[in-house]
Amino acid sequence: MLEVIILAAGQGSRMQSSLPKVLHTLAGQPLVAHVLQTARQIMADAIHVVVGHGAQAVKAAVAAPDVQCHLQAEQRGTGHAVAQAIGACDPNSTVLVLFGDVPLISKAVLTDVVAASASGVAMLSAYLEDPTGYGRVVRDQDGEFTAVVEEKDASPEQRRLQEINTGVLAANAEKLAAWLGRVDNHNAQSEYYLPDVLRLAREDGVPVTVACSDNDFNVQGVNTPQQLEALERRHQQVLADELMTGGVLIADRSRLDVRGRLQCGRDVSIDVNVIFEGDVALGDGVSIGANCMVRDAAIGAGAQILPFSHVEGAEVQAGAVIGPYARLRPGAVIGEQAKVGNFVEVKNARLGFAAKANHLAYLGDADIGEHSNVGAGTITCNYDGANKHRTTLGENVFVGSNSTLVAPVTIESGGFVAAGSTVTSDVAPDQLAVARGRQRNIDGWRRPTKSGDAD
Ligand code: UD1
Ligand code: CA
């Protein structure tokens, strides 16, 4: 049996934030969610999460049928944290400890550490250019592991060591529990340090295997906003690189953010400063202009999202053109070849094949038929202050500029609404609706003049 214990109880005081550290996000997901995902990938039989600081919020973030949470009421160190969960593990299990603030730890390296623990205890180290803040791996003259020394306890000489403890450790549950029982807190931070079990294992003659990661970026911990930003940027570059390997044309890998899952077809191009969130699928030949935000959306083949558009919870079908400066809100379905132009907001509305709303409009709770044209300044008045109502346009309807369509209302196919109309009743097929004050032109009218003593 393989059981994973994820430590997520710490406050993360160096983040200077009221949010528990493991809930800060990387690529749009809480740090601890990344670790959880990796634990699932290595097929752990049980997953334990130790919560403490902000326990309710952390519990809610990790809640799942395969996760058990254990409360560490007082944060007395990483060893003390593991001790809160170890009792719930099967004594014969192999326990793998992961830190909730080391989000990008990779599946492959964990599999190696678990395998290495078969002969005793295994930990994962790494060489870092800048090891500041990490526990250092101390070795004897023969290069044999002796101990992990925390930076605060390290001598100036030890601080120069560049091999660090990543926090990943694997051992048999029963033995780990026994060593944890012997760990003391006689150190600079008065904490019960998890890596002290490695020293105790050695004292008991149990071999300690140190696996060394060849990737210095997957093992990095997040303790400060600077480290979070650095890791986010590195991670985004890796994601961009993967997309480019798949053929996506990216204008600048340092100006792309993928905060979720992005699937791309062939010949997709993405200009600068684009943010993708949630689940996004881009069909073949889609182009996304500069400065767009696209969240939980499906964009069909050949569709173009022009610069500065905001697309959320929407489906854009093949060949449609959105923007520049368009806003698609949840439930927007833009049909093939349709156009949604600048300063048009669409919510919970369908535009049929080749329908157009080219400028300055609000289309909420509406069905717009094929080839219909919605003029500039048109608004669906979908909300009466209490309830929402639908507006329905048939095929080939023309709505003149600056019209208000007061829902519920239907304009049948071929209907024509004169500019500036307030449409409150249904329009039959091919009818013209004019609903505005009639124009009067008055002859001989004089403009007001200024009164005499105006100075
Ligand atoms: C820890 C290691 C250090 C290692 C580094 C790698 C110890 C004593 N130090 O240092 O050797 O180089 O990680 O990133 O293990 N946590 C709890 N309960 C606690 C304390 C911590 O759950 O009482 C959790 C934190 O939420 C965090 C993780 O354990 O997810 C690590 O704690 P942190 O305080 O960040 O340890 P570091 O100082 O980074
Ligand atoms: Ca840390």
Side-chain angles (χ1 to χ4, degrees):
M1 280 253 290
L2 173 63
E3 302 196 45
V4 171
I5 300 178
I6 300 173
L7 303 191
Q11 177 181 6
S13 51
R14 289 164 280 178
M15 290 299 288
Q16 306 284 353
S17 165
S18 48
L19 190 68
K21 178 168 65 178
V22 296
L23 296 186
H24 282 270
T25 57
L26 181 93
Q29 270 199 77
L31 299 177
V32 68
H34 288 271
V35 183
L36 206 53
Q37 203 178 329
T38 311
R40 291 191 176 116
Q41 284 173 0
I42 57 167
M43 306 293 177
D45 297 293
I47 300 175
H48 305 267
V49 179
V50 180
V51 299
H53 185 81
Q56 287 310 323
V58 177
K59 260 188 190 170
V62 300
D66 60 343
V67 172
Q68 300 174 47
C69 288
H70 307 272
L71 183 69
Q72 183 193 24
E74 263 185 276
Q75 285 72 64
R76 299 167 71 188
T78 50
H80 180 257
V82 174
Q84 310 310 303
I86 197 79
C89 297
D90 186 308
N92 298 316
S93 287
T94 298
V95 167
L96 174 67
V97 179
L98 302 178
F99 287 179
D101 68 346
V102 182
L104 295 177
I105 197 76
S106 76
K107 177 183 153 185
V109 88
L110 295 182
T111 311
D112 291 349
V113 174
V114 169
S117 74
S119 58
V121 195
M123 68 162 282
L124 182 70
S125 76
Y127 283 90
L128 294 190
E129 194 66 38
D130 177 11
T132 310
Y134 290 89
R136 310 296 205 279
V137 174
V138 180
R139 294 173 180 272
D140 64 18
Q141 297 98 320
D142 303 329
E144 289 294 311
F145 171 86
T146 52
V148 169
V149 178
E150 292 305 303
E151 176 155 297
K152 289 192 173 130
D153 302 291
S155 65
E157 209 169 77
Q158 288 170 330
R159 285 183 193 198
R160 280 197 289 276
L161 295 171
Q162 284 178 296
E163 189 183 6
I164 61 103
N165 169 34
T166 65
V168 174
L169 179 147
N172 160 264
E174 194 174 20
K175 289 191 184 129
L176 184 55
W179 292 318
L180 285 170
R182 285 161 55 197
V183 170
D184 64 35
N185 66 348
H186 304 151
N187 52 53
Q189 301 181 85
S190 301
E191 284 187 0
Y192 297 87
Y193 292 162
L194 174 65
D196 281 3
V197 303
L198 299 163
R199 190 175 40 78
L200 295 169
R202 273 189 79 241
E203 283 174 18
D204 289 356
V206 173
V208 175
T209 308
V210 181
C212 187
S213 167
D214 56 7
N215 184 319
D216 65 346
F217 137 76
N218 286 346
V219 299
Q220 281 177 30
V222 172
N223 300 307
T224 64
Q226 288 89 337
Q227 287 172 334
L228 181 58
E229 184 261 359
L231 207 56
E232 176 82 43
R233 293 327 321 153
R234 280 282 299 271
H235 184 53
Q236 289 298 339
Q237 303 231 346
V238 170
L239 296 178
D241 198 61
E242 283 170 12
L243 289 167
M244 289 189 280
T245 302
V248 178
L249 297 174
I250 291 172
D252 180 351
R253 71 171 79 198
S254 68
R255 286 185 286 170
L256 171 68
D257 282 84
V258 180
R259 301 174 186 157
R261 240 163 52 91
L262 175 64
Q263 280 178 287
C264 293
R266 287 180 81 80
D267 298 307
V268 165
S269 67
I270 302 171
D271 208 335
V272 299
N273 296 332
V274 176
I275 300 174
F276 294 100
E277 292 190 346
D279 265 315
V280 175
L282 306 181
D284 293 346
V286 164
S287 75
I288 309 286
N291 303 298
C292 288
M293 158 74 108
V294 184
R295 175 188 300 152
D296 293 323
I299 315 292
Q304 296 175 53
I305 312 292
L306 300 177
F308 294 97
S309 294
H310 192 283
V311 175
E312 179 185 5
E315 178 185 340
V316 175
Q317 295 175 354
V321 180
I322 308 299
Y325 294 101
R327 179 166 185 215
L328 303 185
R329 290 171 52 200
V333 178
I334 312 302
E336 287 184 31
Q337 316 278 331
K339 284 195 174 145
V340 175
N342 42 257
F343 307 108
V344 174
E345 175 178 345
V346 181
K347 184 217 75 170
N348 190 24
R350 287 182 160 267
L351 268 68
F353 179 83
K356 290 190 183 85
N358 276 336
H359 345 256
L360 299 153
Y362 172 59
L363 301 174
D365 303 306
D367 294 284
I368 315 288
E370 296 184 12
H371 294 287
S372 287
N373 190 327
V374 176
T378 296
I379 301 283
T380 52
C381 306
N382 58 326
Y383 185 53
D384 61 13
N387 295 297
K388 301 275 173 69
H389 304 280
R390 286 197 85 79
T391 299
T392 306
L393 271 58
E395 294 173 14
N396 207 23
V397 166
F398 185 96
V399 179
S401 296
N402 222 34
S403 293
T404 49
L405 309 177
V406 183
V409 72
T410 298
I411 302 170
E412 307 260 14
S413 294
F416 194 107
V417 174
S421 292
T422 295
V423 179
T424 54
S425 54
D426 292 352
V427 179
D430 302 315
Q431 274 187 328
L432 166 68
V434 189
R436 63 184 183 217
R438 205 172 249 291
Q439 182 172 338
R440 288 188 302 149
N441 293 347
I442 298 171
D443 287 325
W445 182 74
R446 283 176 202 282
R447 293 189 186 192
T449 51
K450 286 190 176 169
S451 41
D453 52 357
D455 56 356

